């Protein structure tokens, strides 16, 4: 089923993995999310990786945005990943499945101010991010690698 359609922040339909046999490991309270903004439970170096099930009409893209001034800004810094539409002459109008695995390393030094959000879009039109409450279609991993 569709969990997000259009360009912009993915602010609805996130859920913690509860699929039996999926191998989810929860240590402590974990990452929390409110209105599409993710809060980290502790400081440190975090690896964030997304595996989207995503369709767009030409030039599909995923953006991971981070900020370190959430309460006073925020000033979002974008990391953009674009799907390949080169074999369509850069103007594909048909649906294209994106094979993107955006990943970033985030040095969280203040859990109140350092935040992350995901955005979806397309260079030529809107995108659709897929999901399901009974299986894992679009997945994001948050892994704490060590101290800052």
């Amino acid at each position: 089923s569709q969990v997000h359609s259009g360009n912009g922040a993915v602010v609805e339909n996130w859920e913690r993995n509860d699929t039996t046999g999926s191998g989810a490991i929860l240590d402590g309270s974990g990452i929390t999310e409110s209105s599409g903004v993710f809060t980290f439970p502790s400081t440190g170096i975090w690896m964030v990786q997304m595996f989207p099930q995503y369709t767009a009409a030409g030039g599909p893209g995923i953006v991971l945005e981070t900020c370190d001034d959430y309460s006073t800004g925020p000033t979002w810094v974008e990391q953009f990943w674009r799907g390949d539409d080169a074999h369509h002459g850069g103007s594909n109008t048909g649906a294209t499945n994106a094979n993107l695995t955006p990943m970033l390393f985030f040095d969280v030094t203040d859990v109140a101010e350092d935040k992350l959000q995901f955005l979806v879009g397309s260079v030529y039109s809107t995108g659709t991010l897929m999901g399901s409450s009974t299986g894992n279609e679009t997945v994001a991993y948050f892994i704490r690698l060590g101290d800052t």
Side-chain angles (χ1 to χ4, degrees):
S1 67
Q2 169 183 308
V3 295
H4 178 82
S5 183
N7 294 325
V10 183
V11 297
E12 70 276 334
N13 298 319
W14 286 105
E15 74 168 9
R16 186 174 298 276
N17 184 1
D18 59 1
T19 304
T20 303
S22 65
I25 300 171
L26 301 177
D27 183 15
S29 59
I31 301 293
T32 58
E33 176 268 333
S34 177
S35 299
V37 176
F38 290 83
T39 299
F40 295 82
S42 62
T43 60
I45 307 295
W46 288 80
M47 182 181 76
V48 179
Q49 189 167 18
M50 184 182 196
F51 296 89
Q53 181 69 23
Y54 181 57
T55 301
I62 300 288
V63 178
L64 277 62
E65 289 188 326
T66 58
C67 75
D68 63 3
D69 61 350
Y70 189 73
S71 66
T72 59
T75 304
W76 294 102
V77 176
E78 293 186 348
Q79 306 287 326
F80 182 75
W81 287 264
R82 180 174 169 200
D84 180 17
D85 66 353
H87 21 281
H88 303 293
S91 60
N92 179 29
T93 57
T96 301
N97 291 322
N99 292 318
L100 305 171
T101 54
M103 179 182 72
L104 62 78
F105 296 95
F106 190 22
D107 186 1
V108 176
T109 59
D110 183 337
V111 296
E113 296 294 329
D114 296 350
K115 308 289 182 182
L116 177 133
Q117 66 181 2
F118 299 98
L119 289 83
V120 297
S122 173
V123 175
Y124 307 109
S125 67
T126 60
T128 300
L129 192 65
M130 305 302 286
S132 172
S133 62
T134 60
N136 297 320
E137 292 190 30
T138 294
V139 179
Y141 292 106
F142 296 82
I143 301 169
R144 186 177 183 279
L145 300 175
D147 294 336
T148 185

